[in-house]
Amino acid sequence: EAGVAQSPRYKIIEKRQSVAFWCNPISGHATLYWYQQILGQGPKLLIQFQNNGVVDDSQLPKDRFSAERLKGVDSTLKIQPAKLEDSAVYLCASSKGTGKETQYFGPGTRLLVL
Amino acid sequence: QKEVEQDPGPLSVPEGAIVSLNCTYSNSAFQYFMWYRQYSRKGPELLMYTYSSGNKEDGRFTAQVDKSSKYISLFIRDSQPSDSATYLCAMSFQGAQKLVFGQGTRLTINP
């Protein structure tokens, strides 16, 4: 079974530029999560989707971050405009969505904002 | 005060040692407790999962939860160099899937 796929793996941009990350969850997984992991810290949930609806986006900085999950499968996370403090690893995870099941993480996209 | 506190280390021990990793938390509503392992430049992977208080053992790994003290532990017996990674504790509330993570402890097992 293929795992969670993310691209790109690395991205370097200047502050105030925009950037987008893509995630393909495990086939059949209804729930998709985006986490932000700043160096030396644990992951922090940004947004959770159940199929193509948003369950929790309470920690998403909505003035600059946006995310969508079209057709309940792939998802994109966008930052516009980026700030220096957005430098982090952006992790996508998925789970079956039927209850208290395991979240499977992708390898992450490492973003550096200069 | 952070909801979940974890000593970031780094922690370095010789091969074969018993390793103890710990987290404390402030919100007594947490019901589910997990330990994730994260290798360098990889995503976290679930290692242990415990509901409420008690112990759980899986091979060389033992997870303990003490809800009265708001304290959880992970023990690794007969540690191996392949155990070298960052270990993250995570918790969630009843009825919610959102995970709240500690900051992770970087562990190195020296051959």
Side-chain angles (χ1 to χ4, degrees), chain A residues 4-6 21-26 28-35 45-57 67-77 91-97 101-106, chain B residues 97:
Chain A
V4 177
Q6 290 188 247
F21 314 127
W22 173 82
C23 173
N24 181 235
I26 292 173
H29 279 195
T31 307
L32 185 147
Y33 313 80
W34 283 102
Y35 288 87
L45 180 70
L46 292 176
I47 188 166
Q48 176 186 342
F49 291 96
Q50 180 76 14
N51 295 307
N52 59 353
V54 175
V55 174
D56 185 347
D57 63 356
E68 60 182 6
R69 190 182 184 197
L70 300 176
K71 301 181 182 178
V73 182
D74 293 5
S75 177
T76 56
L77 176 70
L91 294 162
C92 179
S94 70
S95 65
K96 289 182 180 177
E101 67 278 342
T102 300
Q103 294 184 25
Y104 295 88
F105 284 82
Chain B
Q97 295 166 300

Side-chain angles (χ1 to χ4, degrees), chain B residues 24 29 32-33 36 41 53 59 63-64 72 89 97 100 110:
Chain B
T24 59
Y32 298 88
F33 304 91
Y36 280 79
R41 301 189 183 278
S53 284
Q64 288 185 351
I72 70 170
C89 62
Q97 295 166 300
V100 180
N110 300 303

Side-chain angles (χ1 to χ4, degrees), chain B residues 1-55:
Chain B
Q1 183 188 14
K2 293 182 179 178
E3 276 193 295
V4 181
E5 297 273 3
Q6 184 176 4
D7 186 340
L11 183 60
S12 181
V13 301
E15 183 175 355
I18 296 175
V19 177
S20 173
L21 304 169
N22 311 294
C23 287
T24 59
Y25 60 96
S26 56
N27 195 328
S28 58
F30 284 126
Q31 292 286 341
Y32 298 88
F33 304 91
M34 287 141 277
W35 286 94
Y36 280 79
R37 179 173 62 195
Q38 186 174 25
Y39 290 115
S40 181
R41 301 189 183 278
K42 302 284 187 182
E45 57 177 336
L46 183 65
L47 204 56
M48 299 287 284
Y49 180 104
T50 310
Y51 172 68
S52 196
S53 284
N55 294 356

Side-chain angles (χ1 to χ4, degrees), chain B residues 89-106:
Chain B
C89 62
M91 312 180 183
S92 65
F93 301 104
Q94 183 79 28
Q97 295 166 300
K98 169 185 173 180
L99 296 178
V100 180
F101 283 88
Q103 67 182 106
T105 299
R106 182 180 293 182

